[in-house]
Amino acid sequence: MIVLHIALYALLGTCLTFSVIELGLSGYVVSFFSGTDQEWTWDPDTGYNWTTVHSSAPGILDFFIFNAVWTILVSVAAAVLPWFYARKGGVSPKLNTILGISYIVAFFVTSIFWLACFADIAARLGGGISWSDYLNAMIAFAVLLWLMFLALGILAVLSVCGVLVSDWPGYQSMRKGAVEEQPQGSMVPPTTNEAMTTHQPAV
């Protein structure tokens, strides 16, 4: 259980750090591509002239910025919510189920976002590397974030399925929650020892 909690916090902390780095890198690359520039162009009427050209970054770079901010929010929420509800006290099976499904969906959606990011950039580069070290670093961090969120999603699935044991809200086994919801007055047949003790004749 402690190993699982350490692994979750280590992955979430690393994802938070990498997403902040990714946000800075993508912001710099977007600012590099965006803006105005003077280009020497040919016009049939006036000849060569300096023309102001407005350029904007490709949409995938804007998606990098969105994804970095999204990852920061998901990492902080996934780290704070279990701690918050654990300090609050007992968690109902229904709340545990809602949190568990939310974690799984958020982790796998975020991993898909990062997969789309680096796959699109790699396709634009034709499978090669870019002339910009910043863009290459963005691709590298995107691959790492994709792998880490994939690992977080797998750990969350194993936890709610009862393969890994955890007492954190959202990571508790859903099968355990189903057992806890069993009514106290259910008809459970007595064991053999209980039956023998109950019906033993007095001497």
Side-chain angles (χ1 to χ4, degrees), residues 186-199:
S186 60
M187 298 299 295
V188 180
T191 61
T192 307
N193 292 334
E194 290 175 346
M196 291 178 61
T197 304
T198 305
H199 298 291

Side-chain angles (χ1 to χ4, degrees), residues 8-203:
L8 288 171
Y9 264 117
L11 285 171
L12 288 171
T14 307
C15 288
L16 178 61
T17 304
F18 283 3
S19 58
V20 171
I21 296 172
E22 191 74 270
L23 179 61
L25 288 171
S26 55
Y28 175 79
V29 172
V30 166
S31 67
F32 180 79
F33 277 100
S34 304
T36 58
D37 194 13
Q38 296 288 330
E39 292 187 0
W40 189 247
T41 58
W42 164 259
D43 187 286
D45 297 328
T46 59
Y48 284 101
N49 295 300
W50 286 104
T51 305
T52 301
V53 177
H54 299 276
S55 60
S56 60
I60 188 61
L61 295 180
D62 296 330
F63 186 62
F64 263 93
I65 294 178
F66 162 79
N67 205 12
V69 175
W70 165 269
T71 303
I72 292 172
L73 297 177
V74 168
S75 300
V76 171
V80 170
L81 285 178
W83 172 82
F84 172 76
Y85 283 110
R87 285 178 57 90
K88 228 176 141 180
V91 177
S92 66
K94 183 177 180 182
L95 179 58
N96 178 66
T97 302
I98 293 173
L99 289 174
I101 293 174
S102 300
Y103 294 151
I104 292 170
V105 170
F107 292 154
F108 281 116
V109 166
T110 308
S111 69
I112 292 172
F113 283 172
W114 285 115
L115 175 62
C117 282
F118 81 78
D120 186 276
I121 294 294
R124 290 171 183 265
L125 296 175
I129 59 175
S130 171
W131 54 268
S132 171
D133 292 335
Y134 296 100
L135 193 58
N136 292 331
M138 285 174 57
I139 296 172
F141 279 111
V143 173
L144 293 174
L145 284 165
W146 167 60
L147 292 173
M148 285 188 291
F149 272 99
L150 195 61
L152 283 167
I154 293 172
L155 288 177
V157 169
L158 293 177
S159 297
V160 299
C161 290
V163 178
L164 299 176
V165 180
S166 174
D167 59 355
W168 277 2
Y171 295 98
Q172 298 173 8
S173 173
M174 292 185 184
R175 290 183 294 181
K176 178 183 176 183
V179 172
E180 290 177 354
E181 287 183 335
Q182 183 179 0
Q184 296 295 327
S186 60
M187 298 299 295
V188 180
T191 61
T192 307
N193 292 334
E194 290 175 346
M196 291 178 61
T197 304
T198 305
H199 298 291
Q200 183 178 5
V203 178

